[in-house]
Amino acid sequence: ATIVVGKDNDSMAEREKAVVSIIESGTKILGSVRDSFKSFAYNTIDDQSGTMVCQLLPDRVVPTYILIETTTTLFALFGWGKRKRKTKPAAAALAELALSFRDLLSDLMHATSLFRAFGDENNSTDVELLIKNALDSIIDRQADVAATHCEDHASVRRAINEVSVSRSMTTDRVDPFLVEMWENLGSFDETE
């Protein structure tokens, strides 16, 4: 966004006023993004919300975080640093934006924790229990068949182990980014 201030009104107060308006607009947009993600995440299966986090991280989350951090540095040059949030409207608006983004990061971390928790309806992540439940389900459906093949058991075991390992590896790559951003944005929180 470009801030255009007439030559007659070009003052720090006018610039700050214009910046506050832009940031407040961004905070509102971020609020609707958060509501949309929560609605999506809580109305879909954990696979889809985990996948969405993995897609959003490089496309939207990291660029937004970098924008907030860069703006923070720029604001400090104007005398609108984090510590001035009680006296400078621009600093207060940026802190509100940063904390709203931090709340979105919390939602994303929650979604990745559900993605990692590849389990049964009780959220058990015990792989052996998952294998047993899957095999019991196969055996129940094949009640007419005299015996199930050992190959079926091995295939189910391999598939569940691969999915479990894959999910764990994915979240091990994603979580550190989310956690680091979340922790860094904590500097905007007056209560911490």
Side-chain angles (χ1 to χ4, degrees):
T2 304
I3 300 172
V4 179
V5 179
K7 292 181 182 179
D8 297 335
N9 296 333
D10 191 11
S11 67
M12 287 297 281
E14 288 299 316
R15 289 180 184 197
E16 184 175 24
K17 186 177 174 182
V19 165
V20 167
S21 174
I22 292 169
I23 292 175
E24 286 174 345
S25 172
T27 302
K28 287 178 187 171
I29 292 169
L30 192 55
S32 20
V33 167
R34 184 172 181 225
D35 291 342
S36 295
F37 178 76
K38 284 170 72 171
S39 175
F40 172 80
Y42 294 111
N43 293 319
T44 62
I45 57 174
D46 298 336
D47 293 357
Q48 292 171 332
S49 60
T51 301
M52 178 65 74
V53 172
C54 292
Q55 291 170 346
L56 288 174
L57 185 65
D59 292 344
R60 301 287 190 263
V61 175
V62 171
T64 301
Y65 173 75
I66 295 301
L67 183 63
I68 290 171
E69 287 296 308
T70 302
T71 303
T72 300
T73 302
L74 179 64
F75 275 24
L77 295 174
F78 278 95
W80 306 333
K82 294 176 189 178
R83 294 182 183 169
K84 303 255 181 147
R85 71 177 135 239
K86 293 196 186 268
T87 59
K88 298 291 184 183
L94 183 59
E96 185 178 341
L97 176 71
L99 293 173
S100 294
F101 186 65
R102 189 177 192 223
D103 290 340
L104 175 63
L105 291 174
S106 293
D107 295 336
L108 298 175
M109 288 188 292
H110 177 72
T112 61
S113 72
L114 295 176
F115 183 69
R116 179 187 299 260
F118 172 62
D120 59 13
E121 55 276 352
N122 298 323
N123 286 328
S124 170
T125 55
D126 177 12
V127 174
E128 289 303 316
L129 180 60
L130 292 170
I131 292 168
K132 179 189 176 306
N133 291 342
L135 292 175
D136 288 348
S137 175
I138 291 170
I139 291 170
D140 287 347
R141 282 185 291 214
Q142 295 180 350
D144 300 339
V145 179
T148 57
H149 297 91
C150 286
E151 297 144 15
D152 291 343
H153 296 274
S155 296
V156 168
R157 179 179 298 280
R158 271 194 313 275
I160 290 174
N161 280 330
E162 289 297 322
V163 169
S164 180
V165 167
S166 174
R167 285 181 177 216
S168 183
M169 289 171 61
T170 298
T171 54
D172 286 347
R173 288 190 301 268
V174 170
D175 286 353
F177 289 105
L178 296 174
V179 168
E180 182 176 344
M181 288 184 282
W182 187 87
E183 288 174 349
N184 289 342
L185 291 173
S187 65
F188 286 95
D189 192 350
E190 292 179 319
T191 62
E192 288 187 4

